[in-house]
Amino acid sequence: MGWEFWKKELDEEELVENGFEGYSSRRASTNGICPTHIVDPLEEPVPGLGTYEDFNTIDWVREKSKDRDRHREITNKSRESTVALLHRISDAFSGWLLMLLVGLMAGALAGGIDIAAHWMTDLKGGVCLVGFWFNHEHCCWTYNETFQERDRCPQWKSWAELITGTSEGAFPYIMDYLMYIFWALLFSFLAVTLVRAFAPYACGSGIPEIKTILSGFIIRGYLGKWTLIIKTITLVLAVSSGLSLGKEGPLVHVACCCANILCHLFTKYRKNEAKRREVLSAAAAVGVSVAFGAPIGGVLFSLEEVSYYFPLKTLWRSFFAALVAAFTLRSINPFGNSRLVLFYVEFHAPWHLVELAPFILLGIFGGLWGALFIKANIAWCRIRKTTRLGHYPITEVLVVAALTALVSYPNSYTRMSGSELISELFNDCSLLDSSQLCGYVQPANMSETGAGNSLADRPAGPELYTALWQLALALIFKMTITVITFGMKVPSGLFIPSMAVGAIAGRLLGVGMEQLAYYNHDSILFKGWCSAGADCITPGLYAMVGAAACLGGVTRMTVSLVVIMFELTGGLEYIVPLMAATMTSKWVADALGREGIYEAHIRLNGYPFLEAKEEIEHNSLAVDVMTPRRGDPALTVLTQEGMTVGEVESLIESTRFSGFPVVVSQESQRLVGFVLRRDLLISIDNARKRQDGIVSASQVVFSEHLPPPSPEAPPPLPLRGIMDLSPFTVTDHTPIDITVDIFRKLGLRQCLVTHNGKLLGIITKKDVLKHMAQIANRDPDSILFN
């Protein structure tokens, strides 16, 4: 194999971008030509050389090599002067400064999104008379008197009260119902229209695309300023519309947009795609940190779920950026409770070993629902892509928003936002709690026994039974509507809807277990640890475990999910139930389908992503995967001498390849190197403009020494500097699993196949993905991008 990529001879494009001194003299002496015959890249840099086109994969090896050489140059110069030393110090510090800026920007945006979404969600129900900018909760905080009903204070008026003057009766109810639907349709219409008109990349979760970008793929504009602005605005609108979606996934996209924009302030990150991806990995951690108030969980999420290349340095910087973002969010205090976490719980009763069985049952439910949801959602998205439904995104969003609002309003548990619902389900009932979920019967002889401030288990009352029926209907509705909502042309996260489904199922099971323990505390299951009048079962804990199980079943997260859940709730003593449910959920879901929701969407969209978890059980060889296959026309190559500029240009125009191998001659096919199509085009165009005498008849030379000059012939065009002299090569008998591992671990764009030093063919990332699709009995043409 061609493992000599450590070779110190640099490509011309690297020298152009890194500005090496002494290049022109060394180049002249090496090639045996006078520097005046060629354009000196130091004096006149060639713009665009060494960059990548849209929908192409970066060359990780080349990018890392460029950064090493740049760093070596700065280190050598720092010994010569104080200014150079200061430049070296600022270069080393720039990464930390960038992380600080990313954390501050993402934290500030997340705080603004939280506040705006909370206010606009409450706007569907009414308005505050003191100030329309107050949401329901803040409006009631400004009222000093006590008021009777839990969800109503005199300063907050529903739309029916404002229009009709009363809130009682059928007409005010219908008025509120219609206003709820009106606001839902308005918000969803604005969201989808803004996305469609200004930033099509702002739709969806963004995590599948970010995973693909972090693996080395380039999608121009996906992390741009317009995407950031529109995603921030439309995320608020989409969440406020009441659609079954969350803002947590899109916040990862928002944080990555912030990082990409800020990267342009620093040359080190602006000019190196691999270095920029290290920053984007840290930004993914920041996104989860501000979404959940879980900085450690965010770092682990980036490591486990999103990142392709995650060195130790990136781990430290992710940790620092997540810390800064969490601190910024805490300073803004969007939830108004002086806490960073979204769903703080204070469970008092310890869990018991017997309860592991229902926890594992919740894990099984989470795994089954996760696998079923992925299959159903991918099937629906495929219908959207292949039928006329995909041509009417605005109509689709409005229909789904209208359906969601129509069904949601009568049920108080579907009417409230996803975050409020989960918070309600996680809640542990206290003595003064007026929630329907706390509608227990209080026996006359029962006092506040139980552990600490908690209440003893009590029999369920009529209010609780009503709440359970409403929750059962809410569960069916959420499970159904989320399938068709995720993937529409609005920003849509999956964390909150998945957690809501699990939390509802968990609360239902928790109340069932609580009643079982109350009426059967003498049975063999409960005897010894659950006596009469004790607080044995905590339904809120079951909701928490169910939420983790369902989110794990959909995303296949494990370690990061458990950490996010205990950071999210503050429930440190419940790590073991969370671990048991999450692991069970992953096992069950993996048994029914290996892919998580993000991997499934990557495959659906045809992104060139090599999944590290995917195993190859086929014993084919490199020769079976390469282009050309047996019986195909020979590979298109360039020769190191003998071709003219016109011939090279016509060859480029007649093909669509990203690059061309360079061989000694057509007869020998001995490999010399590899040159990229983009670099060839830029170099020839630049030479025609800047060098005298370069015409179509000029000879293109890739060899080390120029041929003897001829008086009649035009001057040759030396292009050895843009050629990769050490391209990766494998032999034709290299097993495909080793070839795929090379592509995965080194992030290659292409690999050349040789036999006894003779060039046979080329394997690109697309060839590998097509072959893997064929092995898995999938359509190989589903890989859309080069």
Side-chain angles (χ1 to χ4, degrees):
M1 290 188 222
W3 297 102
E4 62 271 25
F5 69 95
W6 305 106
K7 193 173 174 72
K8 291 182 181 177
E9 182 168 349
L10 298 174
D11 292 343
E12 183 175 297
E13 60 209 273
E14 294 172 3
L15 295 158
V16 168
E17 289 194 13
N18 292 316
F20 276 21
E21 291 186 358
Y23 165 68
S24 57
S25 59
R26 187 171 74 243
R27 174 73 186 273
S29 62
T30 305
N31 289 1
I33 57 174
C34 176
T36 55
H37 291 168
I38 62 167
V39 174
D40 190 341
L42 285 175
E43 293 174 6
E44 299 178 76
V46 180
L49 204 63
T51 58
Y52 302 95
E53 291 179 342
D54 201 5
F55 301 127
N56 267 262
T57 305
I58 70 166
D59 190 331
W60 285 88
V61 174
R62 187 175 74 170
E63 296 297 307
K64 295 303 290 180
S65 175
K66 276 163 56 175
D67 185 61
R68 273 193 303 272
D69 292 325
R70 183 197 63 80
H71 188 264
R72 194 181 296 124
E73 183 71 10
I74 290 172
T75 305
N76 292 337
K77 281 185 177 179
S78 67
R79 301 189 185 101
E80 297 170 7
S81 68
T82 310
V83 175
L85 180 63
L86 289 173
H87 177 240
R88 180 187 173 187
I89 293 166
S90 69
D91 181 75
F93 182 68
S94 63
W96 296 101
L97 178 60
L98 179 56
M99 290 298 107
L100 177 71
L101 294 174
V102 170
L104 289 170
M105 188 173 174
L109 280 174
I113 287 168
D114 285 333
I115 292 166
H118 199 167
W119 173 68
M120 289 175 71
T121 301
D122 288 349
L123 193 65
K124 297 204 302 283
V127 71
C128 185
L129 297 180
V130 182
F132 72 90
W133 56 87
F134 285 120
N135 62 39
H136 192 166
E137 193 176 8
H138 289 163
C139 184
C140 294
W141 280 355
T142 61
Y143 190 70
N144 296 324
E145 308 286 326
T146 57
F147 44 91
Q148 294 296 318
E149 293 182 55
R150 179 191 184 214
D151 293 328
R152 195 167 297 233
C153 64
Q155 293 183 336
W156 180 268
K157 296 290 182 187
S158 69
W159 295 109
E161 284 179 288
L162 285 173
I163 296 166
T164 65
T166 179
S167 61
E168 303 297 326
F171 182 68
Y173 180 82
I174 292 167
M175 181 62 66
D176 280 334
Y177 202 159
L178 291 173
M179 287 302 290
Y180 183 89
I181 294 170
F182 165 74
W183 285 111
L185 287 172
L186 178 65
F187 292 157
S188 56
F189 175 73
L190 288 172
V192 70
T193 307
L194 286 170
V195 166
R196 192 166 167 77
F198 297 105
Y201 283 153
C203 68
S205 160
I207 293 179
E209 287 78 9
I210 285 164
K211 282 188 75 162
T212 310
I213 288 168
L214 289 177
S215 75
F217 195 56
I218 289 175
I219 308 177
R220 299 230 182 271
Y222 198 82
L223 302 174
K225 59 181 181 297
W226 271 110
T227 305
L228 173 64
I229 293 165
I230 298 301
K231 186 118 188 179
T232 305
I233 296 167
T234 53
L235 179 55
V236 174
L237 290 165
V239 170
S240 307
S241 69
L243 288 166
S244 183
L245 46 83
K247 60 181 181 294
E248 286 65 29
L251 276 172
V252 174
H253 188 185
V254 166
C256 286
C257 287
C258 294
N260 187 57
I261 291 163
L262 291 167
C263 275
H264 287 83
L265 302 175
F266 302 87
T267 310
K268 177 164 76 171
Y269 297 102
R270 185 175 70 247
K271 289 192 172 182
N272 194 296
E273 293 288 350
K275 293 295 288 180
R276 192 183 305 181
R277 274 151 182 76
E278 291 179 23
V279 177
L280 295 178
S281 289
V286 169
V288 173
S289 174
V290 294
F292 289 115
I296 300 170
V299 175
L300 290 172
F301 171 80
S302 180
L303 175 61
E304 180 183 2
E305 188 64 23
V306 180
S307 294
Y308 193 82
Y309 173 68
F310 204 84
L312 199 57
K313 182 169 60 178
T314 304
L315 179 72
W316 300 331
R317 287 182 176 169
S318 302
F319 186 76
F320 174 66
L323 164 72
V324 172
F327 175 77
T328 307
L329 190 66
R330 172 65 185 78
S331 304
I332 295 169
N333 192 19
F335 309 120
N337 58 4
S338 299
R339 286 200 176 98
L340 183 65
V341 296
L342 199 55
F343 315 115
Y344 189 76
V345 296
E346 288 179 320
F347 301 146
H348 305 289
W351 64 278
H352 299 274
L353 199 62
V354 174
E355 292 181 277
L356 267 181
F359 293 150
I360 287 170
L361 201 64
L362 283 172
I364 293 169
F365 169 78
L368 288 171
W369 183 76
L372 182 67
F373 172 81
I374 291 167
K375 289 182 189 303
N377 179 250
I378 293 298
W380 180 257
C381 289
R382 193 167 277 118
I383 290 169
R384 186 186 287 126
K385 283 173 78 82
T386 55
T387 64
R388 292 181 63 82
L389 179 66
H391 299 303
Y392 305 103
I394 296 175
T395 309
E396 184 193 6
V397 169
L398 289 176
V399 168
V400 174
L403 180 66
T404 306
L406 203 65
V407 178
S408 293
Y409 189 82
N411 187 337
S412 59
Y413 293 109
T414 49
R415 189 190 315 164
M416 63 178 70
S417 71
S419 301
E420 283 180 89
L421 172 61
I422 294 167
S423 191
E424 181 90 350
L425 294 166
F426 283 8
N427 184 40
D428 190 19
C429 291
S430 62
L431 190 63
L432 299 173
D433 208 317
S434 59
S435 167
Q436 266 194 315
L437 285 170
C438 299
Y440 294 95
V441 175
Q442 182 78 24
N445 61 344
M446 187 171 282
S447 62
E448 279 189 57
T449 54
N453 299 322
S454 60
L455 291 167
D457 288 346
R458 297 159 289 167
E463 276 194 355
L464 180 56
Y465 282 121
T466 305
L468 294 180
W469 273 112
Q470 287 181 331
L471 280 177
L473 292 170
L475 178 64
I476 295 165
F477 173 66
K478 285 274 183 190
M479 289 170 74
T480 310
I481 203 71
T482 308
V483 169
I484 60 174
T485 304
F486 186 69
M488 290 196 308
K489 298 301 179 189
V490 290
S492 53
L494 198 57
F495 281 35
I496 290 294
S498 301
M499 287 173 69
V501 167
I504 294 169
R507 188 79 188 205
L508 291 171
L509 182 62
V511 172
M513 283 292 292
E514 184 185 44
Q515 295 306 300
L516 191 67
Y518 177 78
Y519 289 110
N520 300 281
H521 54 78
D522 290 330
S523 72
I524 192 167
L525 274 178
F526 303 104
K527 201 170 184 180
W529 65 275
C530 184
S531 57
D535 180 21
C536 306
I537 305 289
T538 308
L541 170 60
Y542 284 74
M544 191 168 96
V545 171
C550 279
L551 185 53
V554 171
T555 62
R556 310 297 160 86
M557 294 192 295
T558 50
V559 182
S560 55
L561 176 58
V562 171
V563 175
I564 286 170
M565 286 306 295
F566 80 67
E567 281 190 281
L568 192 63
T569 58
L572 277 170
E573 58 190 296
Y574 302 112
I575 289 178
V576 173
L578 287 169
M579 288 173 73
T582 306
M583 206 65 244
T584 307
S585 168
K586 179 173 169 54
W587 283 336
V588 171
D590 278 349
L592 298 171
R594 294 297 301 236
E595 290 179 325
I597 187 68
Y598 302 129
E599 290 79 19
H601 272 269
I602 285 171
R603 186 161 57 79
L604 177 73
N605 292 324
Y607 297 135
F609 182 76
L610 276 172
E611 178 57 59
K613 301 172 208 167
E614 197 168 348
E615 295 175 7
I616 297 173
E617 297 172 356
H618 206 265
N619 58 354
S620 49
L621 303 174
V623 72
D624 302 319
V625 183
M626 72 177 192
T627 304
R629 302 285 175 90
R630 292 185 179 96
D632 288 352
L635 188 67
T636 306
V637 295
L638 300 174
T639 55
Q640 68 174 357
E641 291 178 14
M643 292 184 77
T644 63
V645 170
E647 287 171 344
V648 171
E649 284 178 324
S650 62
L651 184 70
I652 292 171
E653 283 173 16
S654 63
T655 60
R656 297 183 63 188
F657 303 129
S658 297
F660 302 93
V662 181
V663 293
V664 174
S665 66
Q666 292 285 0
E667 293 75 31
S668 75
Q669 290 289 308
R670 297 284 176 186
L671 183 63
V672 177
F674 190 85
V675 64
L676 293 176
R677 175 198 191 92
R678 182 179 174 83
D679 290 353
L680 262 178
L681 284 168
I682 290 170
S683 299
I684 291 172
D685 185 55
N686 182 67
R688 282 185 181 275
K689 289 176 183 174
R690 298 191 185 185
Q691 283 183 242
D692 294 332
I694 298 296
V695 291
S696 294
S698 297
Q699 190 178 354
V700 176
V701 180
F702 291 101
S703 56
E704 194 171 347
H705 301 286
L706 287 177
S710 168
E712 294 84 15
L717 175 60
L719 291 180
R720 186 177 176 84
I722 66 166
M723 182 172 63
D724 181 4
L725 293 168
S726 53
F728 272 86
T729 59
V730 294
T731 68
D732 50 341
H733 290 291
T734 306
I736 189 60
D737 52 345
I738 293 176
T739 309
V740 172
D741 264 350
I742 292 170
F743 271 89
R744 276 180 187 151
K745 291 172 182 174
L746 294 175
L748 299 184
R749 297 183 76 191
Q750 68 277 317
C751 184
L752 300 173
V753 183
T754 61
H755 177 75
N756 294 336
K758 281 182 68 175
L759 180 68
L760 288 185
I762 184 171
I763 301 175
T764 63
K765 197 172 183 181
K766 187 175 179 181
D767 292 328
V768 172
L769 287 160
K770 277 190 166 186
H771 186 71
M772 290 171 76
Q774 277 180 323
I775 291 170
N777 293 320
R778 300 196 302 263
D779 177 18
D781 293 324
S782 62
I783 312 301
L784 301 180
F785 297 103
N786 291 320

